[in-house]
Amino acid sequence: MKFRLGLGSVVVTLLLSAAGPPALAQNAADTAVEAAKKFSGTTLNLLWQAGLQANDPLVFSGPLFEELTGVKINVVEVPLTEMFSKILIEHRARTGSFDVMPATPAWLPDLIEAGALEPLDDFVDQFGYREEFADIAPVYRVMGEYKGQIYAFQDDGDVLINYYRKDLFADESNKSEFKAKFGYDLAPPTTWEQFSQISQFFTEKFAPDLYGSARINAPGLVHYVFQERFRNDGGKFFDADAMKAQINDDVGVATLQAMIDEHRFMPPGVEAWGPIEVLSAWMAGDLAMMGWWPPPGRWSAGYGTEVEALAWLPKSTVAGKVGYALPPGGAPELAAGFVLGVSSSSKNKELAYLFIQWMNSKDISLQRTMLPFALRDPFRTSHFRSDEYKALWPAAPEYLETLEAAANAGLADLSIRSTAAYEDALTRAISAAFGGTGVKEALDTAAGEWDALTKQIGLETQKSSYLEWASKSNAYPR
Amino acid sequence: MSVPRATAAVSEQWVGGPFGDSRFKYFLIAPALFIMLSIALFPLINLLVVSFQGISIIAENKSFHGILNYQRLAGDSRMWKSLLHTVGLLLVALPIELIFGMAMALLFVDKMRGRQIFVALLVLPMVIAPIVAGATWRLMFDNQFGPINQIIGWFAGRDVTIVWLADSSFVWPAILATEVWHSTPFMFIILLAGLAGVDRSQIESAQIDGASAARIFFKIILPAIRPVLAVAILIRALDLFRIFDIIWALTRGGPGTVTETISTFTFVKAFEQFDTSFAAAVAITVVLILTAVTIYALRRIEIAR
Amino acid sequence: MAHIRISSLHKYYDSVHAVRGIDLDIRDGEFTVLVGPSGCGKSTMLRAIAGLENIDSGTIEIDDEVVNNLAPGDRDVAMVFQNYALYPYMNVFDNIAFGLRARKFPAREITARVQAAAETLDIVELLKRLPRQLSGGQRQRVAIGRAIVRDARLFLFDEPLSNLDAQLREGMRVEIKQLHQRLGKTMIYVTHDQIEAMTLADRIVLLKDGSIEQEGAPLDLFERPVSRFVAGFLGSPSMNFLPAKLVENGTYLGLRFADDVTLALPAAASQRLASRVGQDVTFGVRTEHITPARDGELDDGFVDLLVTIDLTQPTGSRTYASFKLAGVAVQAELRAHDVEQPGEQIKLQIDMNRAIVIDPSTELVI
């Protein structure tokens, strides 16, 4: 905990001085601050994901907001895996124990239908946020909308992009050997078949010093990979009429089978790897490619990794050698990603709203996405084009360009009623197949569970929820 | 001690207990009883009520749904499988813990140099919270950096990459090892206390009578520690039936549902999927099973009488 | 039947030297009592003979065979424990039969032998009972039954009567003595009770601090103790001891006490002690040798003394009375009505033939 204090004061001082004299034109951040000043002295309770993420409100935005408005920000850290439970339980018990509520889009249908989130449209108009709201990349902007109303602001540009080692891909001997073997030029893969072959090439040539790629296979996360690849290859989660699960169709089986087959070209034991294992191997220079969220783009360039909060991170051995690309198929998963909402049981909804408007505003959100340690990633058009951001490291313009392209083509996670149960069934099928169960058998089981869940939730209820989600442009590849 | 008395006379002295007024004892236990009822009975009744309702993530439907949830669980093969896993683990882990615990206790019951230190060290796993034990063993079983693969590698003479916690054929042995490591000390310490209470002269008398070690163990020691043994087995059996932390920390029931136990299943249903009433029905079913088994067991070991 | 030979037996418990080089021969059929205060090593010796304790050096032979490394079960001995060590979950029959079953006797012989042992001990009607349903005395019989049923060559008793009340103890003592006479087995019996030792033993081995202080027939030890310790240990009430000085006293020698009272020593003692005139000594005399003076001439070797009685302890048949001699309390054994009240004066006689004189520097009788 100690590092946060030291770090916080430094950051706050820096940003206060950076903010400079008040701007003449009122931006959304200033509006929010002005309006929040009347609540000076009150305390706002934030639920936040435990870990690095919490450094944002703990050492940066929280202290800064208090400095500006006199409102105290109290952060309640909860592990990601328990956040949804916590939110719903607190809501059902009407404890009102926190005001600001972060969520992933996949939880929104349940939370909104349960009445846990406050609709924000009126506040948006009252505090003049329309213009800056529109700056959020379209694919992210629609995340917090449900049945025509705004319930939350996308606050994090989470997307799985493909990182690759430019040095290895540009190496002449690699290039010629690869071409000789597979008959086409070595370049970031655009299909999963290419991905597998490139993995195979590097693994066969360099293992055990270097492997072609690795994947985040941890339960609870691996389903994102499946969701992405399944949809890129034309899969649909349900048939829209009967709401019958289709994840066990030919596309689903082929997707999962391919995922398993690729393990041959990944480091031994990759079946059990989580994000940290993949990231560590990447930073150590042991991988030619990796699919991950945006932060490694900054870290592998060495940006900001000297802060104490990131001391655990292996020192990058790949700085300057990292290329960024869309994953094969071209429509990356907007995996998880946080939105900010206001708890309907908050006793101070206006203040809670003002805080999230301030957090989410162009100005402040740019600062937050540039924090090295808070895991918030660019999600606004203005972020992608920020000169300030582009100047952070040499390849930053390329990075932002890739993130913008990814955001434009991105696929939202399946977000329907009781999504967690569907994700759980899918995750179990995938890990069972990794563990030795037949692919078809595993997916059949999962599809059976999906159908049972749908029946239990109510076919019509779930159908309308699914159609609401599927009608959004980011549900399936465009 | 020097004045033998007929047992009947001894027990007569204590009729009515140390406090003659029989109402006074109820007065004494009333506060404890009240607390027990409020923290145990009320939730249980509430659980029972909820199990007949239709509360789920979709709706807080508190109308009477009859035995719908119970019908659902009867047909839920995942639940029955998790129950089977639970019982299977119990049937394998309990004898192993018992045998190891007994062997260790027999080893350390005699006075020897450094005994106290050894016993203290051996009991250490017990003072570690199961969730921490699980998390620690998760690292031990890590296929990349974990010492277990390394040690096996030394013996095998080559790199071993067993993905302990993601491979269905290795995951149960991993859980079993963790559970046995964590819980054998409990058996050990209880049995050690039991063995320490065995009259040494009975054993010596049997030795002089020419009885073999096995005969002494089965005819003298085992009957003497039978009540202790029965309680230890009962406690461990109930613990194993409720096993959650270690499995949650190691595998969360995975891969797939291969290592799901009734507790992890109930947790997932209740707190991850908010299938609240269904989870309540599962919990009630488990309570019924455990109550029946416990009553039967207590009768068998003649403690509850 | 067995004879035991123990040579230079040593036993340490950590740093405590519990048995310090004991040599002891026990003859066939002899009833030997090991007696001494707690911590004297008597139980350790018994357990060493049984094989329950390892010994650090020396040898234990039974019938000329060194048994040092023989397991208890292979020594063909039987033992009765202080707390009986009955197996609580077996009935009396099974308790007695345990050793026979362990040694794989045929079932029919087991039944016959248990029956015979039970008859010997008069516990036939208890065979189906559990130990906890028995009284202390009954348990004791079962424990003895368990020992005799095997017909072992050597019987060991480890304070077997100490958990019984006084009355039962007396009865069991008689029975054990009868048992010994009937079976004729070699028996070694440990006790801290000198009365048990005196009444039961063919031979007493009196131990102190891990060494043998004196051994021999009970009356030998009682009448001719070699040391103040032996003299004080045996006999009840305990022997009176007083500091005195050996002085010339006419023809013979005398013992002069602090208050200048001098008691004349008889001729034999005077001769024996002649060279020690002028030395400080301890005078020892048993209560039964201080009795009311008869009228008329004193017997040879008797001295008389007029004393004031401080305290009386009537026991019925006789009364123990205390008086002060040279400031030290001394007990005399009187008849029931010799003294009615404390404070009365009485003339006592002391049998100086039976008194002992001890060198206080060595504590040995001189």
Side-chain angles (χ1 to χ4, degrees):
Chain A
M1 284 292 162
K2 215 193 300 171
F3 68 88
R4 286 175 174 160
L5 291 172
L7 185 65
S9 51
V10 171
V11 172
V12 169
T13 333
L14 270 174
L15 281 143
L16 281 176
S17 54
L24 293 176
Q26 279 272 28
N27 62 25
D30 295 337
T31 312
V33 165
E34 283 309 314
K37 277 181 179 161
K38 67 169 180 274
F39 297 106
S40 178
T42 48
T43 295
L44 208 54
N45 291 306
L46 254 66
L47 189 77
W48 212 267
Q49 183 182 351
L52 282 178
Q53 283 85 347
N55 283 321
D56 174 353
L58 281 172
V59 305
F60 173 64
S61 44
L64 182 56
F65 194 68
E66 184 175 354
E67 187 88 36
L68 295 170
T69 64
V71 173
K72 201 171 155 29
I73 302 297
N74 174 40
V75 181
V76 181
E77 289 184 63
V78 177
L80 176 63
T81 46
E82 281 155 39
M83 274 178 85
F84 177 65
S85 313
K86 175 93 175 155
I87 291 169
L88 204 59
I89 289 169
E90 298 269 355
H91 169 66
R92 288 213 164 152
R94 303 292 190 281
T95 58
S97 59
F98 51 89
D99 307 290
V100 172
M101 185 189 298
T104 74
W107 305 340
L108 287 179
D110 285 327
L111 295 180
I112 292 167
E113 292 287 351
L117 280 172
E118 195 66 14
L120 304 179
D121 289 81
D122 293 346
F123 285 130
V124 169
D125 291 330
Q126 185 185 341
F127 296 103
Y129 194 50
R130 285 284 170 200
E131 197 188 325
E132 289 198 14
F133 180 64
D135 174 55
I136 298 176
V139 74
Y140 291 129
R141 195 166 59 226
V142 296
M143 292 284 200
E145 292 177 350
Y146 190 75
K147 296 186 176 164
Q149 272 196 301
I150 302 171
Y151 284 91
F153 302 146
Q154 180 80 23
D155 194 49
D156 185 13
D158 267 347
V159 59
L160 296 178
I161 61 168
N162 196 27
Y163 296 89
Y164 67 97
R165 286 277 296 280
K166 282 199 282 196
D167 55 329
L168 294 172
F169 276 67
D171 181 88
E172 288 305 327
S173 71
N174 286 347
K175 278 161 82 174
S176 57
E177 282 170 41
F178 183 84
K179 177 121 187 198
K181 181 156 189 179
F182 294 105
Y184 58 96
D185 287 329
L186 179 60
T190 54
T191 67
W192 286 104
E193 194 190 357
Q194 286 179 6
F195 176 86
S196 175
Q197 286 171 345
I198 295 168
S199 284
Q200 180 182 353
F201 173 76
F202 282 114
T203 301
E204 285 175 354
K205 183 166 178 188
F206 294 110
D209 298 328
L210 177 131
Y211 291 86
S213 59
R215 188 197 307 123
I216 297 166
N217 276 334
L221 297 174
V222 66
H223 66 87
Y224 292 131
V225 177
F226 180 89
Q227 286 197 39
E228 172 187 306
R229 296 176 61 160
F230 175 68
R231 283 183 287 177
N232 270 292
D233 287 346
K236 294 269 192 289
F237 292 124
F238 299 97
D239 94 73
D241 295 325
M243 274 304 281
K244 195 132 173 49
Q246 300 186 144
I247 47 169
N248 59 337
D249 66 5
D250 291 347
V251 178
V253 171
T255 301
L256 185 50
Q257 188 60 54
M259 286 168 69
I260 292 171
D261 291 344
E262 285 160 16
H263 288 160
R264 282 180 296 154
F265 310 125
M266 294 182 178
V270 73
E271 291 88 341
W273 279 25
I276 300 300
E277 284 86 352
V278 175
L279 180 64
S280 307
W282 172 258
M283 297 292 270
D286 295 343
L287 299 175
M289 297 184 288
M290 128 181 123
W292 230 88
W293 287 275
R298 311 190 284 269
W299 295 335
S300 34
Y303 165 67
T305 48
E306 72 283 357
V307 301
E308 235 177 303
L310 291 177
W312 56 275
L313 201 65
K315 283 287 160 266
S316 176
T317 60
V318 295
K321 303 173 184 171
V322 180
Y324 322 101
L326 294 190
E333 186 79 7
L334 305 171
F338 271 90
V339 300
L340 281 179
V342 171
S343 167
S344 64
S345 36
S346 165
K347 290 169 193 77
N348 207 340
K349 289 173 192 163
E350 186 178 326
L351 177 59
Y353 171 80
L354 290 170
F355 180 70
I356 67 168
Q357 172 170 326
W358 177 79
M359 290 279 273
N360 199 242
S361 67
K362 266 189 190 174
D363 233 29
I364 300 302
S365 67
L366 177 65
Q367 307 302 329
R368 292 171 57 225
T369 54
M370 291 198 305
L371 291 175
F373 49 77
L375 299 182
R376 283 288 179 269
D377 306 310
F379 59 89
R380 286 176 171 275
T381 309
S382 59
H383 294 162
F384 299 136
R385 297 177 187 172
S386 157
D387 289 334
E388 203 180 331
Y389 208 125
K390 282 179 185 168
L392 291 181
W393 72 93
E398 201 185 314
Y399 171 70
L400 291 172
E401 207 174 292
T402 308
L403 290 187
E404 183 167 16
N408 289 333
L411 298 177
D413 301 333
L414 176 65
S415 305
I416 52 176
R417 304 304 306 278
S418 203
T419 310
Y422 289 81
E423 285 179 353
D424 171 60
L426 180 56
T427 290
R428 278 186 283 106
I430 295 168
S431 69
F434 286 0
T437 311
V439 167
K440 176 71 178 157
E441 183 194 340
L443 286 175
D444 282 349
T445 307
E449 286 187 43
W450 278 30
D451 290 341
L453 283 166
T454 304
K455 189 170 158 227
Q456 186 196 324
I457 287 161
L459 191 73
E460 287 311 314
T461 310
Q462 190 60 295
K463 189 172 169 180
S464 89
S465 175
Y466 174 66
L467 291 178
E468 162 75 17
W469 173 80
S471 71
K472 291 183 184 173
S473 60
N474 59 11
Y476 288 104
R478 298 173 276 288
Chain B
M1 202 51 228
S2 65
V3 184
R5 258 187 304 235
T7 26
V10 174
S11 59
E12 254 167 55
Q13 272 192 331
W14 291 93
V15 169
F19 303 101
D21 184 353
S22 64
R23 275 168 305 180
F24 186 60
K25 65 189 177 196
Y26 296 116
F27 178 73
L28 281 178
I29 61 167
L33 196 67
F34 174 76
I35 292 167
M36 286 290 286
L37 287 181
S38 45
I39 64 171
L41 191 62
F42 170 71
L44 190 66
I45 291 169
N46 194 38
L47 191 70
L48 189 67
V49 170
V50 168
S51 79
F52 290 106
Q53 298 175 336
I55 301 175
S56 73
I57 193 164
I58 301 307
E60 288 182 75
N61 186 338
K62 291 192 174 168
S63 64
F64 182 68
H65 277 56
I67 58 165
L68 194 73
N69 292 310
Y70 291 91
Q71 278 172 335
R72 250 183 78 199
L73 79 83
D76 190 323
S77 64
R78 185 174 164 196
M79 182 210 128
W80 292 112
K81 266 190 210 154
S82 69
L83 195 60
L84 198 69
H85 295 156
T86 312
V87 174
L89 177 64
L90 192 159
L91 291 180
V92 176
L94 193 56
I96 295 178
E97 288 169 13
L98 182 62
I99 290 167
F100 280 13
M102 182 70 88
M104 282 157 62
L106 286 172
L107 191 64
F108 283 101
V109 73
D110 290 320
K111 285 200 178 72
M112 62 170 86
R113 212 171 281 280
R115 171 169 174 256
Q116 275 180 318
I117 293 166
F118 274 118
V119 170
L121 286 176
L122 283 170
V123 170
L124 264 185
M126 200 175 74
V127 305
I128 295 172
I131 193 86
V132 178
T136 310
W137 277 84
R138 191 185 165 79
L139 294 177
M140 302 268 288
F141 281 119
D142 187 280
N143 59 291
Q144 261 189 305
F145 309 109
I148 299 209
N149 273 353
Q150 281 193 25
I151 291 165
I152 296 174
W154 293 337
F155 286 108
R158 63 187 162 79
D159 274 359
V160 172
T161 47
I162 299 172
V163 191
W164 287 95
L165 302 176
D167 188 325
S168 354
S169 35
F170 290 102
V171 67
W172 274 117
I175 287 174
L176 190 65
T178 309
E179 166 58 27
V180 166
W181 176 84
H182 185 256
S183 297
T184 300
F186 175 83
M187 279 289 189
F188 166 57
I189 204 79
I190 296 276
L191 293 178
L192 188 63
L195 287 179
V198 176
D199 185 354
R200 284 234 36 104
S201 59
Q202 285 176 23
I203 296 168
E204 289 173 345
S205 173
Q207 283 175 340
I208 289 173
D209 272 345
S212 63
R215 195 180 186 87
I216 292 174
F217 179 74
F218 286 107
K219 296 278 179 181
I220 311 293
I221 297 177
L222 212 52
I225 61 169
R226 217 191 73 147
V228 175
L229 193 66
V231 171
I233 290 175
L234 184 65
I235 292 174
R236 282 303 308 142
L238 291 175
D239 278 352
L240 272 164
F241 199 90
R242 298 176 315 196
I243 186 167
F244 178 84
D245 314 50
I246 283 177
I247 292 196
W248 198 249
L250 283 176
T251 67
R252 290 189 158 235
T257 52
V258 170
T259 60
E260 200 162 55
T261 62
I262 195 70
S263 293
T264 63
F265 173 76
T266 312
F267 180 83
V268 167
K269 282 289 167 192
F271 299 110
E272 293 201 335
Q273 304 183 359
F274 286 91
D275 209 342
T276 312
S277 283
F278 178 74
V282 176
I284 288 288
T285 308
V286 171
V287 167
L288 289 178
I289 293 173
L290 285 189
T291 308
V293 170
T294 308
I295 289 174
Y296 173 77
L298 287 178
R299 287 230 174 110
R300 276 299 299 270
I301 62 180
E302 305 184 355
I303 286 178
R305 287 196 201 169
Chain C
M1 301 284 273
H3 62 270
I4 320 294
R5 178 174 297 122
I6 294 168
S7 324
S8 12
L9 178 66
H10 284 273
K11 170 76 189 176
Y12 294 85
Y13 290 109
D14 294 324
S15 57
V16 179
H17 198 168
V19 178
R20 308 179 178 218
I22 282 186
D23 295 290
L24 183 65
D25 274 7
I26 292 169
R27 287 180 291 275
D28 233 6
E30 196 173 51
F31 197 115
T32 305
V33 174
L34 305 181
V35 68
S38 47
C40 70
K42 58 190 188 297
S43 276
T44 306
M45 268 187 70
L46 191 78
R47 292 168 57 81
I49 296 168
L52 298 173
E53 297 284 353
N54 294 320
I55 58 177
D56 292 300
S57 67
T59 54
I60 299 171
E61 290 168 62
I62 303 178
D63 291 339
D64 300 324
E65 179 198 8
V66 176
V67 297
N68 285 18
N69 296 316
L70 230 48
D74 298 331
R75 296 190 183 193
D76 193 20
V77 301
M79 182 157 166
V80 177
F81 290 82
Q82 178 173 8
N83 66 355
Y84 324 130
L86 301 184
Y87 312 133
Y89 302 97
M90 299 179 198
N91 66 24
V92 170
F93 183 96
D94 292 335
N95 259 286
I96 298 176
F98 184 86
L100 302 175
R101 287 184 177 140
R103 286 163 198 273
K104 306 269 186 289
F105 276 67
R108 191 180 296 172
E109 192 178 346
I110 292 174
T111 315
R113 282 201 184 205
V114 173
Q115 191 67 31
E119 277 164 18
T120 306
L121 293 163
D122 199 19
I123 51 172
V124 176
E125 72 281 7
L126 304 178
L127 285 176
K128 292 277 164 260
R129 296 221 196 140
L130 288 173
R132 65 180 143 87
Q133 296 164 319
L134 304 179
S135 70
Q138 288 168 331
R139 288 179 205 185
Q140 183 61 70
R141 283 164 198 272
V142 176
I144 293 171
R146 210 168 52 180
I148 65 172
V149 74
R150 278 213 351 257
D151 199 27
R153 59 182 169 177
L154 171 62
F155 282 72
L156 306 173
F157 295 86
D158 188 3
E159 309 215 17
L161 304 184
S162 59
N163 284 356
L164 298 180
D165 63 61
Q167 217 177 340
L168 264 171
R169 198 147 50 198
E170 221 164 289
M172 285 308 296
R173 223 155 56 202
V174 174
E175 292 202 37
I176 289 173
K177 186 133 196 175
Q178 284 170 346
L179 197 69
H180 177 244
Q181 282 166 358
R182 190 161 56 227
L183 300 175
K185 296 279 184 183
T186 314
M187 293 186 176
I188 305 177
Y189 187 107
V190 162
T191 182
H192 62 269
D193 179 345
Q194 51 96 12
I195 295 181
E196 262 173 45
M198 294 292 293
T199 50
L200 285 171
D202 292 335
R203 185 153 66 123
I204 289 180
V205 177
L206 183 52
L207 294 160
K208 185 192 174 207
D209 297 336
S211 305
I212 296 177
E213 186 82 3
Q214 189 175 7
E215 59 171 303
L219 287 178
D220 265 0
L221 265 65
F222 186 77
E223 292 168 0
R224 282 177 290 282
V226 298
S227 66
R228 174 174 173 159
F229 175 75
V230 178
F233 191 83
L234 298 178
S236 174
S238 224
M239 188 181 258
N240 299 300
F241 293 106
L242 295 106
K245 193 177 210 90
L246 213 50
V247 294
E248 302 272 2
N249 185 37
T251 336
Y252 301 125
L253 301 184
L255 292 165
R256 177 172 301 153
F257 297 93
D259 55 358
D260 284 344
V261 173
T262 304
L263 298 181
L265 282 168
S270 297
Q271 269 168 13
R272 200 170 67 237
L273 298 170
S275 62
R276 295 178 182 260
V277 171
Q279 282 186 8
D280 285 328
V281 296
T282 304
F283 166 66
V285 62
R286 296 193 184 280
T287 51
E288 62 263 36
H289 301 135
I290 309 178
T291 48
R294 277 171 296 169
D295 296 336
E297 274 294 290
L298 283 169
D299 288 343
D300 194 29
F302 281 68
V303 294
D304 61 4
L305 202 60
L306 186 68
V307 300
T308 308
I309 299 302
D310 300 327
L311 185 76
T312 58
Q313 300 178 65
T315 65
S317 59
R318 61 190 67 108
T319 293
Y320 295 106
S322 308
F323 61 91
K324 288 263 176 15
L325 181 57
V328 178
V330 177
Q331 268 196 341
E333 186 178 316
L334 311 183
R335 286 163 312 214
H337 294 284
D338 285 342
V339 173
E340 298 295 349
Q341 306 242 3
E344 286 181 27
Q345 277 205 330
I346 183 168
K347 193 173 193 188
L348 297 175
Q349 60 174 10
I350 301 174
D351 182 355
M352 295 299 279
N353 300 309
R354 307 295 298 269
I356 57 171
V357 178
I358 298 160
D359 178 346
S361 61
T362 60
E363 301 267 288
L364 293 178
V365 174
I366 46 181

